[in-house]
Amino acid sequence: VATLAQPQTAAARVYPGLAPRLLRPELEGRESLAAYRAAGGCGGGAEGDALLAEVEAAGLRGRGGAAFPAARKWRAVAAGPAPRVLLVNAHEGEPTSAKDRQLLRRRPHLVIDGARRAARAVGASELVFWVGDAEAAGSVRAALAELEAGLEVELRIVAAAGGYVAGEESAAVRGVDGERPVPHAKPPRPFESGVGGRPTLVQNPETLANVPFVAANGGDAYREEGTATSPGTFLLTASGACGAPGVAEVPFGVSLAEAFGAVAGGLAAPDGAFLMGGYFGGILGPRARGLALDYDALAAAGSGLGCGAIEALPAAECPVAATARVCGFFAAESSRQCGACMNGTAAMGEALARLRDGQSGEDDVERLGRWAQDLPGRGACALLDGAARLVGSLLREFPEEVAAHRAGECQSTSK
Ligand SMILES: Cc1cc2nc3c(=O)[nH]c(=O)nc-3n(C[C@H](O)[C@H](O)[C@H](O)COP(=O)(O)O)c2cc1C
Ligand code: SF4
C-alpha cells in the first residue's frame, strides 16, 4: 500500500488567496504558546451554550471521515450524565493521511484550545488524546507543559496501539480503557457509553482545530469559506502521482484539479485514477478532476472526501491493480470479529487479485458486483462498507479495464 514519501517533513501549504485558519506555514516547527497567543489564540470568544450554538450555525462537520455534524454530537454528549469525557482521536492509521500528525506537530495549542472549549461546552471533566504518531504525542506533551498549572480538565495522552481499525471510535475508546483497540457493535455509541462507561465526545483533531475560529468569529464568519453543505476549510493530504505530495489547507468546494494544481505541484498523470477519501471514497477515473471537494458533491458522485486524503495514481498503475492492492489492505486490517467482514474482505481481495492477474472468469466479476451490493451495513464498523464501496466504484467507473482484465488483455505494466 502506497504511503506518503515523507509526510512528516512535507511542507504545510495553503491554497492561494486563502487566509489560513488551521495551518501557519510560516512557522518553523512547533508553535509555542507565546506564538499562539500573539496570533490571537486562547482568549475570549463564545463559550458553553453560546459556543455550541455558533458551532451549529457554522455547520462544522467532523474531519475524521464520517463528516458528522459536530454540534449534534456535542448536544448528545451534553445531555448524558456527568462525568463526561472528550476523546481526541489522533490515531490516523490511514496510510495516505498525514494531516492530523502535521497539525499536532505544528499547532498543538490550536487543537488543545479547541478541545478545552469543546470540553467546557459539553461539560467534560476529562480530556484524553489517543495519538498514533510519537512526535505528535511529544508535541502535545510539550504544549501542555507550557500551559500554566490549573487546567480545568484532567488530561491524559495515550499512545495509540493497534492497526487501522484502532482509529474507529469504539476501538479508540477501548484502547484508552486499556483493552484491545478493536471496534464493537453499536449501540452503545461513545456518546452513550464511552471511556470508563461515561458519555464521551469522540472528535478528530482537525475538527477541534476549527473551534477557536468559530468561538472568536462566529458561525456566519466561518461560512465565508467553503460551500453551503461543507463550510470552512479542510486539510487535504495529497499523495501519489503529483509534483509535491503533502498536507495543505484548502477551502471546501474547489475542484480536485484546482487543489492539486495549486498546492500539490500539479497532477503527473493526465488520465490517471484517484483513490478518494483515504480509501473510503473508492476509486474514481479522470472525471474526478472536475469534481468539487465537498462532502455532498462527492457523495452524489458515488465517492466521498473521508478524512481529506487523495492519492493520485500514476498512469502506469492499472485501476484494477490499485483496487486489488487496497482491498488487500482492508482484508489484512479487518479485526476479524464479524463473519461478513472477515470472509467478505478476504474473498473480494482474492477475486480482485485473480482479476488483476488475468485469471478470473465471468463468475468473479459477478460475485464482486453482488458483494458490493450486499455487504455494506453487515459489519460492526465501516471498514467493510469502505471495502464494498471500493469494489463497487471499480466496477462502475472502469468497466472497460475490468473487461480487459477478464479477457487477460490488460496492457498496464502494473497489472
Ligand atoms: C476503520 C476506521 C478507522 C478510523 N480511523 C480514524 C482515525 O484514525 N481518526 C479519526 O478521527 N477517525 C477515524 N475513524 C472515524 C471515527 O470512527 C469517528 O467517526 C471520528 O473519530 C469522529 O470524529 P469527527 O466527528 O471529528 O470526525 C475511523 C473509522 C473507521 C471505520
Ligand atoms: S466490520 Fe470488520 S473491521 Fe469492523 S469490527 Fe467487524 S470485523 Fe472488525
Side-chain angles (χ1 to χ4, degrees), residues 165 183 334-338 341 379-381 383:
V165 294
S334 164
S335 69
R336 307 172 72 80
Q337 301 179 103
C338 315
C341 177
C381 85
L383 181 133

Side-chain angles (χ1 to χ4, degrees), residues 96-415:
T96 56
S97 180
K99 51 104 177 175
D100 291 330
R101 77 198 69 172
Q102 177 94 254
L103 190 58
L104 287 172
R105 287 174 181 191
R106 288 169 176 265
R107 302 207 68 198
H109 285 291
L110 179 67
V111 179
I112 293 169
D113 188 9
R116 289 171 71 187
R117 290 172 188 271
R120 291 195 291 268
V122 303
S125 51
E126 192 186 356
L127 188 52
V128 192
F129 280 80
W130 174 243
V131 194
D133 176 64
E135 196 180 322
S139 170
V140 174
R141 206 168 290 115
L144 292 173
E146 282 181 296
L147 289 161
E148 303 85 25
L151 277 178
E152 68 288 356
V153 290
E154 206 184 304
L155 210 139
R156 271 197 289 160
I157 301 172
V158 182
Y164 185 45
V165 294
E168 193 273 346
E169 57 181 9
S170 65
V173 164
R174 280 181 156 170
V176 165
D177 278 341
E179 297 168 30
R180 188 172 157 237
V182 291
H184 64 66
K186 289 92 188 166
R189 291 202 168 271
F191 78 85
E192 300 161 294
S193 176
V195 174
R198 291 168 282 163
T200 299
L201 175 64
V202 181
Q203 208 91 85
N204 178 264
E206 184 190 341
T207 314
L208 294 166
N210 283 278
V211 172
F213 182 96
V214 176
N217 303 290
D220 288 347
Y222 187 77
R223 287 181 172 276
E224 284 169 12
E225 294 293 350
T227 67
T229 53
S230 303
T233 64
F234 74 100
L235 297 179
L236 167 73
T237 313
S239 64
C242 58
V247 176
E249 184 172 351
V250 173
F252 283 108
V254 301
S255 74
L256 187 155
E258 282 166 342
F260 269 72
V263 297
L267 288 160
D271 297 319
F274 299 90
L275 286 166
M276 302 293 297
Y279 303 156
F280 272 42
I283 188 163
L284 290 182
R287 76 179 178 108
R289 289 159 182 267
L291 293 176
L293 299 180
D294 168 283
Y295 293 121
D296 296 21
L298 287 176
S303 181
L305 190 54
C307 63
I310 299 178
E311 180 183 344
L313 296 179
E317 186 166 12
C318 162
V320 175
T323 304
R325 147 171 88 85
V326 177
C327 199
F329 170 80
F330 279 131
E333 294 292 325
S334 164
S335 69
R336 307 172 72 80
Q337 301 179 103
C338 315
C341 177
M342 181 174 74
N343 299 321
T345 53
M348 288 191 291
E350 285 158 16
L352 285 165
R354 284 194 295 273
L355 186 62
R356 177 197 60 207
D357 298 339
Q359 292 169 0
S360 83
E362 185 73 31
D363 277 5
D364 268 335
V365 177
E366 260 174 34
R367 272 204 299 262
L368 283 166
R370 224 172 29 245
W371 286 324
Q373 289 281 325
D374 295 348
L375 290 178
R378 293 184 53 198
C381 85
L383 181 133
L384 179 58
D385 305 351
R389 186 177 308 121
L390 174 73
V391 169
S393 66
L394 175 74
L395 302 181
R396 185 188 67 234
E397 301 282 324
F398 297 97
E400 287 170 16
E401 287 80 353
V402 169
H405 273 266
R406 201 161 61 195
E409 290 167 356
C410 177
Q411 302 302 315
S412 163
T413 52
S414 72
K415 62 179 194 158

Side-chain angles (χ1 to χ4, degrees), residues 6-17:
Q6 285 186 304
Q8 61 276 40
T9 54
R13 303 179 198 110
V14 172
Y15 194 77

